[in-house]
Amino acid sequence: MARISDETRRNNETAIRHVMDRLLAGEVPAGTKCDIKTLAAQAGVARTGFYPKKNRDGSPRPGPYQHLAEEFERRLAELRETGVIPDPRAAQIERLKDRVSGLKKRLAARDEQIGGLTDFRERALSQIAAQRMEIERLRDALAALSNVRALPNRARASAPYGS
């Protein structure tokens, strides 16, 4: 790969900084993210220039635009710490994640409430069934010859207050 001149490098750095400012201001092109890949594509430079290289002897050396990638990542992290998400797609994802977690909490609370109401319903039906069985047993005992007696049925009498 051919080396680039100092003038070309300066022009590329200027273009990268311009694109970096636009991306961090929230002007992210549709279908892209606020990341190094988009930064390189929009600035018209190879993405590999943002990453460290190795010399022929294996020793590491910085990429020509690595300092700009580090600056971009640092500024992006600072924005995220303050709660600003420049990428509208990422912001939407965060909003949706928050909404999903809220809905999961509501669903869990509703499931718990339904479980409690189901238990209550089962107990109530069980009590009603037991009362019905007792009434039927008493009616059968009343019909049969036994020591069970029916109470007099007085239509005009009213129950005392509070009974």
Side-chain angles (χ1 to χ4, degrees):
M1 188 166 153
R3 302 241 179 218
I4 59 173
S5 67
D6 288 337
E7 182 181 351
T8 304
R9 179 175 285 160
R10 279 193 303 274
N11 290 341
N12 287 347
E13 285 185 7
T14 302
I16 291 168
R17 287 187 188 280
H18 178 68
V19 171
M20 184 188 314
D21 291 338
R22 280 195 347 235
L23 289 176
L24 293 174
E27 298 175 26
V28 180
T32 62
K33 300 178 187 179
C34 188
D35 59 0
I36 298 293
K37 181 178 179 180
T38 304
L39 179 64
Q42 293 293 308
V45 298
R47 187 172 60 180
T48 58
F50 291 98
Y51 302 106
K53 312 284 182 235
K54 287 190 179 181
N55 291 320
R56 291 179 189 229
D57 63 357
S59 61
R61 66 178 165 89
Y65 310 118
Q66 185 175 350
H67 64 286
L68 293 173
E70 291 168 355
E71 178 184 343
F72 177 73
E73 294 294 340
R74 180 186 50 78
R75 288 175 60 187
L76 186 59
E78 287 174 358
L79 284 174
R80 286 184 178 148
E81 285 176 6
T82 60
V84 176
I85 302 175
D87 187 355
R89 184 171 159 258
Q92 182 183 19
I93 289 170
E94 289 301 316
R95 281 193 309 274
L96 291 174
K97 283 182 180 179
D98 291 343
R99 187 172 179 195
V100 165
S101 77
L103 290 173
K104 283 182 180 179
K105 288 178 185 174
R106 284 180 51 199
L107 184 61
R110 187 147 310 152
D111 286 347
E112 185 177 329
Q113 182 182 20
I114 288 171
L117 291 173
T118 301
D119 290 344
F120 174 77
R121 178 176 166 253
E122 288 175 4
R123 283 193 317 271
L125 288 175
S126 176
Q127 289 174 351
I128 290 171
Q131 290 172 352
R132 179 174 176 83
M133 287 173 51
E134 179 66 13
I135 290 170
E136 288 175 0
R137 186 189 66 78
L138 290 173
R139 283 182 182 160
D140 290 344
L142 184 60
L145 295 174
S146 67
N147 62 352
V148 176
R149 294 188 198 163
L151 295 175
N153 188 6
R154 294 192 342 214
R156 289 184 297 161
S158 64
Y161 181 76
S163 64

